[in-house]
Amino acid sequence: MAVQRTISIIKPDAVAKNVIGAIYNRFETSGLKIVAAKMLHLSREQAEGFYAEHKERPFFKALVDFMTSGPIMVQVLEGENAVLKNREIMGATNPSEALAGTLRADYAVSIDENAVHGSDSEESAAREIAYFFTETEVCARTR
Ligand code: UDP
């Protein structure tokens, strides 16, 4: 399996819980490397653009309200099979369905406030990385 890059977002609920380090630990112990990271407080326009594919869904306004309610931590993760690996570390969208030991089982309170985001395909990952980072902001981890 090839080395991939994917976007991870620690959402406002999890930043407020002060578990950025605990979540980074899960990535690192799973063999994923953080190759870019920034804390941002999204504008409505940025949140609407990021979630544009959901704009006709009934939860869209609530999702934008939530994603702009406080700072988020955005990172690019790199590693073997990174897209699927991050989705496995995250667990199901609805925390009540998330497997024990996943981030959403441990830190999410509801399907609306579910702690983390992860790209769902290599195509989404490429779009989402470019949404938040310039090419020079993503670092090579060669050492
Ligand atoms: N979401 C929501 N209500 C729903 C479904 C989704 O608030 O009924 C939010 C939730 O924050 C989710 C995001 O919309 O993480 C994107 O939904 P998607 O189905 O893409 O789930 P994900 O890829 O985040 O697991």
Side-chain angles (χ1 to χ4, degrees), residues 41-117:
H41 194 145
L42 294 180
S43 65
R44 292 195 74 80
E45 191 183 12
Q46 284 175 310
E48 286 168 0
F50 183 74
Y51 279 118
E53 69 181 292
H54 293 306
K55 68 174 183 293
E56 305 304 333
R57 309 279 289 275
F59 57 80
F60 184 67
K61 183 182 176 297
L63 176 59
V64 172
D65 288 345
F66 167 55
M67 289 300 290
T68 57
S69 67
I72 60 170
M73 196 74 205
V74 188
Q75 40 285 322
V76 179
L77 305 177
E78 183 179 271
E80 292 282 323
N81 210 11
V83 173
L84 185 62
K85 190 178 273 188
N86 181 41
R87 298 286 299 190
E88 287 171 356
I89 294 167
M90 290 163 54
T93 309
N94 189 340
S96 67
E97 295 167 8
L99 295 179
T102 61
L103 293 174
R104 282 167 165 167
D106 289 346
Y107 300 122
V109 289
S110 67
I111 193 169
D112 315 275
E113 302 211 355
N114 60 3
V116 282
H117 166 85

Side-chain angles (χ1 to χ4, degrees), residues 1-2 12 14 16 18 29 35 40 65 75 83 87 120 122 135-136 138:
M1 177 54 68
N18 218 20
T29 55
V35 294
L40 295 169
D65 288 345
Q75 40 285 322
V83 173
R87 298 286 299 190
D120 61 7
E122 280 196 276
E135 268 181 44
T136 54
V138 182

